[in-house]
Amino acid sequence: IKAVESTFINGLNVKPEDIVVCGKTGTVTFDDVVNELNRLTEASEPEDTVLFYFSGHGTTDHNKHCCLALSDSLLDTQNIIEYFENNASKSKVLFLDCCHAGAISVESSPVFDINETVNEFAGKGYAVFASCSSEQVSGFNPLRNLSLFTCFLCDALSSRLTIREGKKTLNDIHSWLFMLLGNWNKK
């Protein structure tokens, strides 16, 4: 939580007061997440960009992915995707770091130029970065006490090499992230 919070602040210039964290106490309940999502829905403006990050256990239940394995229940990933489809903010980016994270379905894929920046992604839907496919499990980087995906995501979001004309594109973040993951896999 601390690594991603710091990366959002320092790598993406997110204001600390605009970050909501569930789980600082070590417990995240279904009600905690739903209440924050509802609060976010009420507070979202059309010009906003929403970033959603989850790291934890992921599992499948009756062939559906339940990435949010919360302290008291499972929250269906598809429900989170549908929530963001209906959020008023202009762009949404979801980072899912858990086993089987790629077991999602996107109803309709918007057509956009991959070189658009996150801010130019306005009104076109959402992007999902998943740590692994529906058949894979996520790994851990013992050198940094973080999962591999979160470790490399923080590096990609913080890297000055992903900045073009003062902005970061989804493509550059994706390319940098998967280059780092690819290098790790080769080792």
Side-chain angles (χ1 to χ4, degrees), residues 8 10-11 21 24 39 42 44 52 69-70 73 93 95 106 120-121 124 126 129 135-136 144 146 151 187:
F8 280 2
N10 298 312
V21 176
K24 285 187 176 182
R39 191 190 63 72
E42 293 171 12
S44 290
F52 178 86
L70 306 174
S73 64
V93 182
F95 303 100
V106 176
E120 294 166 332
F121 192 52
K124 305 233 173 94
Y126 55 93
F129 287 74
E135 304 296 319
Q136 295 175 317
R144 290 179 61 186
L146 295 170
C151 173
K187 290 180 185 176

Side-chain angles (χ1 to χ4, degrees), residues 21-150:
V21 176
C22 295
K24 285 187 176 182
T25 63
T27 304
V28 180
T29 67
F30 181 87
D31 287 342
D32 292 338
V33 175
V34 170
N35 289 338
E36 287 303 329
L37 291 175
N38 288 332
R39 191 190 63 72
L40 179 62
T41 298
E42 293 171 12
S44 290
E45 299 288 333
E47 291 302 312
D48 290 342
T49 296
V50 174
L51 304 173
F52 178 86
Y53 168 83
F54 174 80
S55 182
H57 295 290
T59 187
T60 55
D61 181 31
H62 305 299
N63 296 324
K64 291 189 338 187
H65 183 254
C66 298
C67 106
L68 302 182
L70 306 174
S71 299
D72 62 349
S73 64
L74 298 174
L75 184 55
D76 186 341
T77 307
Q78 202 60 43
N79 290 343
I80 297 293
I81 299 292
E82 290 166 8
Y83 160 79
F84 282 105
E85 285 178 343
N86 298 315
N87 185 286
S89 59
K90 70 178 178 179
S91 53
K92 290 78 73 170
V93 182
L94 290 76
F95 303 100
L96 304 177
D97 185 5
C98 55
C99 296
H100 314 290
I104 58 172
S105 108
V106 176
E107 290 300 316
S108 61
S109 298
V111 177
F112 68 98
D113 181 349
I114 196 71
N115 291 315
E116 287 181 319
T117 65
V118 172
N119 289 331
E120 294 166 332
F121 192 52
K124 305 233 173 94
Y126 55 93
V128 179
F129 287 74
S131 63
C132 57
S133 75
S134 62
E135 304 296 319
Q136 295 175 317
V137 295
S138 291
F140 192 74
N141 184 343
L143 301 175
R144 290 179 61 186
N145 201 27
L146 295 170
S147 74
L148 287 171
F149 180 81
T150 294

